[in-house]
């Protein structure tokens, strides 16, 4: 995961990702497919088999989510600890696609005690912070003041879309 990122998304929508069904599940699948679909291999020459790795073959990191991780998340099933990082990457991908807005944060941007735990039934992942607070409370963080100027627009858009008013959701780990 990258450094912490703040998202304008309602906490019920965040928590609804675990065990999502219907339209939300379809949207999360589409977001995951777009983010994690392997690129089409580029065939440049016929010498690939003599190399250790065929040129153009995508490199898959151990924390890259796969179809099984996505289905476990959507089923609300228990996530094995060794797949926690991949599952949290899926959560962040979905949150980024559903959020009304987002902004990058530095470690010192949020006052201590501002965020409550995210409340997702997922195992913790190393170097991951996940929390939330109401947007009204987030205004106490001076680093978010400029970003929060758009909150009236997010609340209006959410109401027009029949979605709950956004909260401040923070996901990510320390930079580095």
């Amino acid at each position: 995961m990258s450094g912490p990122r703040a998202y304008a998304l309602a906490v019920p929508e965040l928590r609804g990702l675990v065990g999502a069904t219907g339209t939300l599940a379809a949207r999360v699948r589409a977001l995951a497919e777009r983010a994690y679909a392997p690129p089409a291999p580029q065939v440049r020459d016929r010498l690939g088999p003599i190399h250790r790795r065929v040129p153009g073959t995508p490199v898959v990191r151990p924390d890259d989510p796969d179809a099984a991780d996505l289905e476990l998340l959507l089923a609300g099933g228990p996530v094995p600890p060794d797949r926690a990082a991949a599952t949290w990457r899926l959560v962040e991908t979905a949150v980024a696609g559903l959020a009304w807005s987002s902004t990058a944060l530095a470690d010192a941007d949020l006052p201590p005690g501002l965020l409550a735990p995210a409340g997702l039934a997922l195992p913790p992942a190393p170097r991951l912070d996940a929390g939330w607070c109401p947007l009204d409370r987030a205004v106490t963080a001076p680093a978010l003041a400029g970003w929060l100027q758009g909150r009236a627009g997010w609340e209006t858009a959410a109401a027009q879309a029949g979605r709950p008013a956004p909260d401040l959701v923070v996901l990510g780990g320390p930079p580095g």
Side-chain angles (χ1 to χ4, degrees):
M1 294 212 157
S2 60
R5 192 152 189 89
Y7 297 94
L9 181 72
V11 168
E13 291 180 303
L14 170 69
R15 292 179 181 155
L17 294 174
V18 178
T21 59
T23 306
L24 179 58
R27 190 155 179 209
V28 171
R29 278 189 181 96
L31 290 166
E33 182 177 308
R34 194 174 21 228
Y36 300 108
Q42 298 175 352
V43 179
R44 294 189 184 138
D45 59 41
R46 302 261 180 218
L47 297 176
I50 65 170
H51 299 287
R52 281 191 172 172
R53 184 176 66 82
V54 176
T57 302
V59 176
V60 179
R61 299 178 353 189
D63 66 342
D64 277 348
D66 59 24
D69 296 322
L70 176 61
E71 292 310 315
L72 262 178
L73 175 68
L74 296 177
V79 173
D82 65 321
R83 298 307 300 162
T87 303
W88 278 103
R89 286 189 67 206
L90 277 171
V91 168
E92 186 153 18
T93 298
V95 167
L98 296 171
W100 298 104
S101 181
S102 69
T103 189
L105 298 172
D107 283 340
D109 281 351
L110 299 177
L114 177 68
L115 300 177
L120 294 176
L122 297 174
R127 298 172 33 103
L128 171 77
D129 295 318
W132 78 280
C133 75
L135 283 181
D136 290 342
R137 189 161 176 237
V139 297
T140 63
L144 295 176
W147 178 65
L148 288 172
Q149 288 177 353
R151 76 181 188 169
W154 310 330
E155 291 168 349
T156 301
Q160 290 172 347
R163 291 174 55 188
D167 298 299
L168 172 72
V169 172
V170 176
L171 298 173

